[in-house]
Amino acid sequence: MSKRIIIDPVTRIEGHGKISIYLDDAGQVTDAQFHVVEFRGFEKFCEGRPFSEMPGITQRICGICPVSHQLASARAGDALMAVNIPPAADKLRRLMNLGQIIQSHALSFFHLSAPDFLMGWETPQAQRNVFGLIQSNTDLARAGIRLRQFGQEIIEILGGKKIHPAWAVPGGVRSGLTEAGRTKIRAWLPEAYGTAQIALDLFKKTLETHHRELQVFGNFPSLFMGLVTPGGSWEHHGGKLRFTSSEGTIVADQLDPQNYLDYIGESVQSSSYLKSPYYLPYGFPRGIYRVGPLARLNVCERMGVSRGDAELDNFKGMGNGAVTSSFLYHYARLIEIMSAIEFVEIYLDDPELINGQLRADAGINCLRGVGASEAPRGTLFHDYTVDADGLLRKVNLIVATGQNNLAMNQTVAQIARAYIHGGAITEPLLNRIEHGIRCYDPCLSCSTHAVGQMPLQVRLIGPDGSVLQEVARR
Amino acid sequence: MATNPHLLVIGYGNTLRRDDGVGPLVVESVGGLCLPGVRTLISQQLSPEHSAPVSQAHTVIFVDASVDAPHEVRLRPLAPGHCSQIMAHAADPATILALARDVFGHAPDAWWLTIPAMNLDFNEELSPETRAGAGEALRRIQSIAEQFCREHGKNCEAVANIS
């Protein structure tokens, strides 16, 4: 008798998701699906708007990663105008994206994920959260909050506010870095370096006791995709795309994001509003690929900064070819934080950020433009088609969480296979499944972003539709 | 507290969703009054790092829109939350107070000033009811600020807007 386990809801805000786990007659897990059951419709209701409004509109998709949408949208606008933006504007956009990476990764590690693996899967809900972390390690909790504050300060200093800054525009940016802003950011650096190093040491120590999690939290072969520089270094804004196999070989390199339709397909499932992109030449579902920190570190050959490169060497030593365990998204995130701080320091020494020209001006020179940028969670595409007046005729957005959709399904299935035997649903199992999703830090999210008493409902349903077992957590 | 005693007024909400933005609008007005001893902070949503400036204040007022009954401007004392739940990229005032206490060592006296919201559509204009509530909220904040300054006398520092 086949059965289905449903976890619903997994989420609370602008992503209401649920998980279905399918069992065979023997009670063994056969498959799992992560569904997103909320429709947002940005691609449709943006039609008719001027392309110049899109950085402002699309950043409203999200309160967590508005900077990412703003930057990808501005790049798409650059392509429509067919301009090379001034070097200072490019560096300033990069500086803001680094701030975004730091603040978002700090949130993911310290606030969301660390309580799980530092306090233990069996720890009661009332303690396994950021307040529990505060009780057990106040200094670490404070450092995490302040590291996120550092990233937010960079965004605010450049854009005027932490959330939804109206700053990046087609052709460049609205304002540069002031001397006062540069001094303020520089003052944060020693503390930021210190916190990043503490977190790296802490997670590497955690790995010594988490062999099982390394094996079953999304450890499977897949492709990996991310931006790289022309020389194959880590890239987060601009650059070209590279696909790498789980054996560590380069499958495709220096692909122009403008032509992403030539190598990325989008599968649609009737059970979810989240599309499932795949590597087109391999077809669906064989073309499964992962994006985000783990993927970016797998596709690049070096970070391009000393502390980051030292950690990258250690990271790459954990894989046989590529690093395939999604539990190591956390480690990759911390390496990116450290590297981002190093890049911030480099940019602060650049006089062009204070005095350079900030904006190129042009009309519509191309009727279609694609902007790609690395959001904290993975590669983000904005694809706009406009008329001669710059009014949008078609919009396609490919977000990181969608690109990790197939991988999240496999991760949930792998964890469920490891811990469900005979259909029993336990609290530690729910905790592990939640964490399997959290490894990807999906931006759906408050399910995965709600630490502590995440509302969960798990139902075991027989083939006749009757509820065989129900576990609810409010 | 590292600074002179000050009253921190925090307005939060989405200014593109009509009445939901009343908190930021009220606090923007407070900032314009340049009240001695008063700092202001405006944000779309409360997030954990707000606990740092909150921990530095002597007293804090959180100004927010509310859809709950009764539909009137309400000023309530607020204590640090005991709930273990936190939305990690957004938090409620009681959670911010708890973080201020547990992470930064001080939870200030706190008030929660809520203004009834009637319309949360996409727009930047307040409904007439919420606009009236905003006026009343502003008067109440002025009253608290004046009392705060009387109590702290010459230690009242010059205005500084954080937002």
Coordinates of all heavy atoms in Angstrom, one line a residue, chain A residues 12-13 60 63-64 107 111-112 125-126 129-131 134-135 138 142 145-146 148-149 152 156 162-164 446 449-451 453, chain B residues 14-16 43-45 47-53 81 83-89 95 98-99 101-105 162-163:
Chain A
R12 N 5.8 30.5 6.1 CA 4.8 31.4 6.6 C 4.7 32.6 5.8 O 3.6 33.2 5.9 CB 5.2 31.8 8.1 CG 4.9 30.6 9.0 CD 5.2 31.1 10.4 NE 4.3 32.2 10.8 CZ 4.5 32.9 11.9 NH1 5.4 32.5 12.8 NH2 3.7 33.9 12.2
I13 N 5.7 33.1 5.2 CA 5.5 34.4 4.4 C 5.4 34.1 3.0 O 4.9 33.1 2.6 CB 6.5 35.5 4.7 CG1 7.9 35.0 4.4 CG2 6.4 35.9 6.1 CD1 8.9 36.2 4.2
R60 N 11.1 44.7 -4.9 CA 10.0 44.4 -4.0 C 9.6 43.0 -4.0 O 8.7 42.6 -3.2 CB 8.8 45.3 -4.4 CG 9.1 46.8 -4.4 CD 9.1 47.3 -3.0 NE 9.7 48.7 -3.0 CZ 9.7 49.5 -1.9 NH1 9.1 49.1 -0.8 NH2 10.2 50.7 -2.0
G63 N 12.0 41.0 0.7 CA 12.6 41.8 1.7 C 13.9 41.3 2.2 O 14.6 42.0 3.0
I64 N 14.3 40.2 1.7 CA 15.6 39.6 2.1 C 16.7 39.9 1.1 O 17.8 40.3 1.5 CB 15.5 38.1 2.3 CG1 14.3 37.7 3.2 CG2 16.7 37.5 2.8 CD1 13.9 36.2 3.1
L107 N 23.0 36.0 8.3 CA 21.7 35.7 8.7 C 21.4 34.2 8.7 O 21.0 33.5 9.6 CB 20.6 36.4 7.9 CG 19.2 36.1 8.2 CD1 18.5 37.2 9.0 CD2 18.4 35.8 6.9
H111 N 21.7 33.0 12.5 CA 20.3 33.1 13.0 C 19.5 31.8 12.7 O 18.6 31.4 13.5 CB 19.6 34.3 12.4 CG 20.2 35.6 12.8 ND1 19.5 36.8 12.6 CD2 21.4 35.9 13.3 CE1 20.3 37.8 13.0 NE2 21.4 37.3 13.4
L112 N 19.8 31.2 11.5 CA 18.9 30.2 11.1 C 19.4 28.8 11.3 O 18.7 27.9 11.7 CB 18.5 30.4 9.6 CG 18.0 31.8 9.2 CD1 17.8 31.9 7.7 CD2 16.8 32.1 10.0
Q125 N 12.3 22.2 20.8 CA 12.1 23.4 20.0 C 12.3 24.7 20.8 O 12.8 25.7 20.3 CB 10.6 23.4 19.5 CG 10.4 22.5 18.4 CD 11.2 23.0 17.1 OE1 11.0 24.1 16.7 NE2 12.0 22.2 16.6
A126 N 11.9 24.7 22.1 CA 12.0 25.9 22.9 C 13.4 26.4 23.1 O 13.6 27.5 23.4 CB 11.3 25.6 24.3
N129 N 16.9 27.5 19.0 CA 16.7 28.7 18.2 C 17.7 29.7 18.6 O 18.6 29.4 19.4 CB 15.2 29.2 18.5 CG 15.0 29.4 19.9 OD1 15.8 30.0 20.6 ND2 13.9 28.8 20.4
V130 N 17.6 30.9 18.1 CA 18.6 31.9 18.3 C 18.7 32.3 19.8 O 19.7 32.6 20.3 CB 18.4 33.1 17.4 CG1 17.2 34.0 17.8 CG2 19.7 34.0 17.3
F131 N 17.5 32.2 20.5 CA 17.6 32.5 21.9 C 18.3 31.4 22.7 O 19.0 31.7 23.7 CB 16.2 32.7 22.5 CG 15.6 34.0 22.1 CD1 14.7 34.1 21.0 CD2 16.0 35.2 22.7 CE1 14.2 35.3 20.6 CE2 15.5 36.4 22.3 CZ 14.6 36.5 21.3
I134 N 21.8 32.2 22.2 CA 22.2 33.3 23.0 C 22.6 32.8 24.4 O 23.5 33.2 25.1 CB 21.1 34.4 23.1 CG1 21.0 35.1 21.8 CG2 21.4 35.4 24.2 CD1 19.8 35.9 21.6
Q135 N 21.7 31.9 24.9 CA 21.9 31.4 26.3 C 23.2 30.6 26.3 O 24.0 30.7 27.3 CB 20.8 30.4 26.7 CG 19.4 31.1 26.8 CD 19.3 32.1 27.9 OE1 20.0 31.9 28.9 NE2 18.6 33.2 27.6
T138 N 26.6 33.6 24.2 CA 26.1 35.0 23.9 C 27.1 35.8 23.0 O 26.6 36.5 22.1 CB 26.0 35.8 25.3 OG1 25.2 35.0 26.2 CG2 25.4 37.2 25.1
R142 N 25.9 37.6 19.5 CA 26.1 39.0 19.3 C 27.0 39.3 18.1 O 26.7 40.1 17.3 CB 26.8 39.6 20.6 CG 26.9 41.1 20.5 CD 27.8 41.7 21.6 NE 27.2 41.5 22.9 CZ 27.8 40.7 23.8 NH1 29.0 40.1 23.6 NH2 27.2 40.5 25.0
I145 N 24.9 38.8 14.9 CA 24.0 40.0 14.7 C 24.8 41.2 14.1 O 24.4 41.9 13.2 CB 23.3 40.4 16.0 CG1 22.2 39.3 16.3 CG2 22.7 41.8 15.9 CD1 21.5 39.5 17.6
R146 N 26.0 41.4 14.7 CA 26.8 42.5 14.3 C 27.4 42.3 12.9 O 27.6 43.3 12.1 CB 27.9 42.8 15.3 CG 27.3 43.5 16.6 CD 28.4 43.9 17.6 NE 29.4 44.8 17.0 CZ 29.2 46.1 16.8 NH1 28.1 46.7 17.1 NH2 30.2 46.9 16.3
R148 N 26.0 40.7 10.5 CA 24.9 41.1 9.6 C 24.7 42.6 9.5 O 24.5 43.2 8.4 CB 23.6 40.4 10.0 CG 22.4 40.8 9.0 CD 21.2 40.0 9.3 NE 20.3 40.2 8.2 CZ 19.1 40.7 8.3 NH1 18.6 41.0 9.5 NH2 18.3 40.9 7.2
Q149 N 24.8 43.2 10.6 CA 24.7 44.7 10.7 C 25.8 45.3 9.8 O 25.5 46.3 9.1 CB 24.9 45.1 12.1 CG 24.4 46.5 12.4 CD 24.5 46.9 13.9 OE1 24.9 46.1 14.7 NE2 24.2 48.1 14.3
Q152 N 24.6 45.1 6.3 CA 23.5 46.1 6.1 C 24.0 47.5 6.0 O 23.4 48.4 5.3 CB 22.5 45.9 7.3 CG 21.8 44.6 7.3 CD 20.6 44.5 6.4 OE1 20.7 44.9 5.2 NE2 19.5 44.1 6.9
E156 N 23.3 50.4 3.3 CA 22.7 51.6 3.7 C 23.6 52.8 3.3 O 23.1 53.9 2.9 CB 22.4 51.6 5.2 CG 21.6 52.9 5.6 CD 21.1 52.8 7.1 OE1 21.7 52.1 7.8 OE2 20.2 53.6 7.4
K162 N 18.6 50.4 4.3 CA 19.0 49.0 4.4 C 18.2 48.1 3.4 O 18.6 47.2 2.8 CB 18.9 48.4 5.8 CG 19.8 49.0 6.8 CD 19.6 48.3 8.1 CE 20.5 48.9 9.2 NZ 20.0 50.2 9.7
I163 N 16.9 48.4 3.4 CA 16.0 47.6 2.6 C 15.4 48.4 1.5 O 14.9 49.6 1.7 CB 14.8 47.0 3.5 CG1 15.5 46.2 4.6 CG2 13.9 46.2 2.7 CD1 14.5 45.8 5.7
H164 N 15.4 47.9 0.3 CA 14.8 48.5 -0.9 C 15.4 49.9 -1.2 O 14.7 50.9 -1.4 CB 13.3 48.6 -0.8 CG 12.6 47.3 -0.6 ND1 11.5 47.2 0.2 CD2 12.8 46.1 -1.1 CE1 11.1 45.9 0.2 NE2 11.9 45.2 -0.5
C446 N 9.9 32.2 5.1 CA 9.9 32.2 6.5 C 9.7 30.8 7.1 O 9.8 30.7 8.3 CB 8.9 33.2 7.0 SG 9.6 34.8 6.9
H449 N 13.1 30.3 7.1 CA 13.7 31.4 7.9 C 13.1 31.6 9.2 O 13.5 32.5 10.0 CB 13.5 32.7 7.1 CG 14.5 32.9 6.0 ND1 14.6 34.0 5.2 CD2 15.5 32.1 5.6 CE1 15.6 33.8 4.4 NE2 16.1 32.7 4.6
A450 N 12.1 30.8 9.6 CA 11.5 30.9 10.9 C 12.3 29.9 11.8 O 12.2 28.7 11.6 CB 10.1 30.5 10.9
V451 N 13.0 30.5 12.7 CA 13.8 29.6 13.6 C 12.9 29.3 14.8 O 12.2 30.1 15.3 CB 15.1 30.3 14.1 CG1 15.9 29.4 14.9 CG2 15.9 30.8 12.9
Q453 N 10.0 27.5 16.6 CA 8.7 26.8 16.5 C 8.2 27.0 15.1 O 7.1 27.6 14.9 CB 7.7 27.3 17.5 CG 8.2 26.9 18.9 CD 7.2 27.4 20.0 OE1 6.3 28.2 19.7 NE2 7.4 27.0 21.2
Chain B
N14 N 5.4 49.2 5.8 CA 5.6 49.3 4.3 C 4.8 50.6 3.8 O 3.6 50.6 3.7 CB 5.1 48.1 3.6 CG 5.4 48.1 2.1 OD1 5.8 49.1 1.6 ND2 5.3 46.9 1.5
T15 N 5.6 51.6 3.4 CA 5.0 52.9 3.0 C 4.3 52.7 1.6 O 3.6 53.7 1.2 CB 6.0 54.0 2.9 OG1 7.1 53.6 2.0 CG2 6.6 54.3 4.3
L16 N 4.5 51.6 0.9 CA 3.7 51.4 -0.4 C 2.4 50.7 -0.2 O 1.7 50.4 -1.1 CB 4.6 50.6 -1.3 CG 6.0 51.3 -1.7 CD1 6.7 50.4 -2.7 CD2 5.7 52.7 -2.3
S43 N 12.1 52.0 9.6 CA 12.5 50.8 8.8 C 11.2 50.2 8.3 O 10.2 50.3 8.8 CB 13.2 49.8 9.7 OG 13.6 48.7 9.0
Q44 N 11.4 49.5 7.2 CA 10.2 48.8 6.6 C 9.8 47.7 7.6 O 8.6 47.4 7.7 CB 10.6 48.1 5.3 CG 9.5 47.2 4.8 CD 9.5 47.1 3.3 OE1 9.6 48.1 2.6 NE2 9.3 45.9 2.8
Q45 N 10.8 47.0 8.2 CA 10.4 45.9 9.2 C 11.5 45.9 10.3 O 12.6 46.3 10.0 CB 10.4 44.6 8.4 CG 11.7 44.2 7.8 CD 11.6 43.1 6.7 OE1 10.5 43.0 6.2 NE2 12.6 42.5 6.4
S47 N 14.2 44.1 12.4 CA 15.1 43.0 12.2 C 16.0 42.9 13.4 O 16.2 43.9 14.1 CB 15.8 43.1 10.9 OG 16.4 44.3 10.7
P48 N 16.7 41.8 13.6 CA 17.5 41.5 14.8 C 18.5 42.6 15.1 O 18.7 42.9 16.3 CB 18.1 40.2 14.5 CG 17.2 39.5 13.6 CD 16.6 40.6 12.7
E49 N 19.1 43.2 14.1 CA 20.2 44.1 14.4 C 19.6 45.4 15.0 O 20.4 46.2 15.5 CB 21.0 44.5 13.1 CG 20.3 45.0 12.0 CD 19.7 43.9 11.0 OE1 19.6 42.8 11.5 OE2 19.4 44.2 9.9
H50 N 18.3 45.6 14.9 CA 17.7 46.8 15.6 C 17.9 46.7 17.1 O 17.7 47.7 17.8 CB 16.2 47.0 15.2 CG 16.0 47.5 13.8 ND1 15.1 46.9 13.0 CD2 16.6 48.5 13.2 CE1 15.2 47.5 11.8 NE2 16.1 48.5 11.9
S51 N 18.2 45.5 17.6 CA 18.3 45.3 19.1 C 19.5 46.1 19.6 O 19.5 46.5 20.8 CB 18.5 43.9 19.4 OG 19.5 43.3 18.7
A52 N 20.5 46.4 18.7 CA 21.7 47.2 19.2 C 21.3 48.6 19.5 O 21.5 49.0 20.7 CB 22.8 47.1 18.1
P53 N 20.7 49.4 18.7 CA 20.3 50.8 19.1 C 19.2 50.8 20.1 O 19.2 51.7 21.0 CB 19.8 51.4 17.7 CG 19.5 50.3 16.8 CD 20.5 49.2 17.2
G81 N 9.9 39.8 25.1 CA 9.1 38.6 24.8 C 9.7 37.3 25.4 O 10.9 37.2 25.6
C83 N 8.6 34.4 24.2 CA 8.4 33.4 23.1 C 9.8 33.1 22.5 O 10.6 34.0 22.2 CB 7.4 34.0 22.1 SG 7.2 32.9 20.7
S84 N 10.0 31.9 22.2 CA 11.3 31.5 21.6 C 11.3 31.7 20.1 O 12.3 31.5 19.4 CB 11.6 30.1 21.9 OG 10.6 29.2 21.3
Q85 N 10.1 32.0 19.5 CA 10.1 32.1 18.1 C 10.6 33.5 17.6 O 10.3 34.5 18.1 CB 8.6 32.0 17.6 CG 8.5 32.0 16.1 CD 7.1 31.6 15.6 OE1 6.3 31.1 16.4 NE2 6.9 31.7 14.3
I86 N 11.3 33.4 16.5 CA 11.8 34.7 15.9 C 11.8 34.4 14.4 O 12.2 33.4 13.9 CB 13.2 35.1 16.3 CG1 13.6 36.3 15.6 CG2 14.2 34.0 16.1 CD1 14.9 36.9 16.2
M87 N 11.2 35.4 13.7 CA 11.3 35.4 12.2 C 12.6 36.0 12.0 O 12.8 37.2 12.3 CB 10.2 36.2 11.6 CG 8.8 35.8 12.1 SD 8.4 34.1 11.6 CE 8.2 34.4 9.8
A88 N 13.5 35.3 11.4 CA 14.9 35.7 11.4 C 15.2 37.0 10.6 O 16.1 37.7 10.9 CB 15.8 34.6 11.0
H89 N 14.4 37.3 9.6 CA 14.7 38.6 8.9 C 13.7 39.6 9.3 O 13.7 40.7 8.8 CB 14.7 38.3 7.4 CG 13.4 38.0 6.8 ND1 13.0 36.7 6.8 CD2 12.5 38.8 6.3 CE1 11.8 36.7 6.2 NE2 11.4 37.9 5.9
T95 N 10.3 40.8 20.7 CA 11.5 40.0 20.4 C 12.7 40.9 20.3 O 13.8 40.5 20.8 CB 11.3 39.3 19.0 OG1 10.2 38.4 19.1 CG2 12.5 38.5 18.7
A98 N 13.8 41.5 23.8 CA 14.5 40.3 24.3 C 15.9 40.2 23.8 O 16.8 39.9 24.6 CB 13.7 39.1 24.0
L99 N 16.1 40.5 22.5 CA 17.4 40.4 22.0 C 18.3 41.5 22.6 O 19.5 41.3 22.9 CB 17.4 40.6 20.5 CG 16.9 39.4 19.6 CD1 16.8 39.8 18.2 CD2 17.9 38.3 19.7
R101 N 18.1 42.8 25.5 CA 18.4 42.3 26.9 C 19.4 41.2 26.9 O 20.4 41.3 27.6 CB 17.1 41.9 27.6 CG 17.3 41.3 29.0 CD 16.1 40.5 29.4 NE 15.8 39.4 28.6 CZ 14.7 38.7 28.5 NH1 13.6 39.1 29.2 NH2 14.5 37.7 27.7
D102 N 19.2 40.2 26.1 CA 20.0 39.0 26.2 C 21.3 39.1 25.4 O 22.3 38.5 25.8 CB 19.2 37.8 25.6 CG 18.0 37.5 26.4 OD1 17.9 37.9 27.6 OD2 17.1 36.7 26.0
V103 N 21.3 39.9 24.4 CA 22.6 40.0 23.6 C 23.4 41.2 23.9 O 24.6 41.1 24.0 CB 22.2 40.0 22.1 CG1 23.5 40.2 21.2 CG2 21.5 38.7 21.7
F104 N 22.7 42.3 24.2 CA 23.4 43.6 24.4 C 23.3 44.1 25.9 O 23.8 45.1 26.2 CB 23.0 44.7 23.4 CG 23.3 44.3 22.0 CD1 22.3 43.8 21.2 CD2 24.6 44.5 21.5 CE1 22.7 43.5 19.8 CE2 24.9 44.2 20.2 CZ 24.0 43.7 19.4
G105 N 22.6 43.3 26.7 CA 22.7 43.6 28.1 C 21.7 44.6 28.7 O 21.8 44.9 29.9
I162 N 18.4 58.5 13.4 CA 19.2 57.3 13.0 C 18.8 56.9 11.6 O 19.6 56.5 10.8 CB 18.9 56.2 14.0 CG1 19.4 56.6 15.4 CG2 19.7 54.9 13.5 CD1 19.1 55.6 16.4
S163 N 17.5 57.1 11.3 CA 17.1 56.6 10.0 C 17.7 57.2 8.8 O 18.1 58.4 8.9 CB 15.5 56.7 9.9 OG 15.2 58.0 10.1

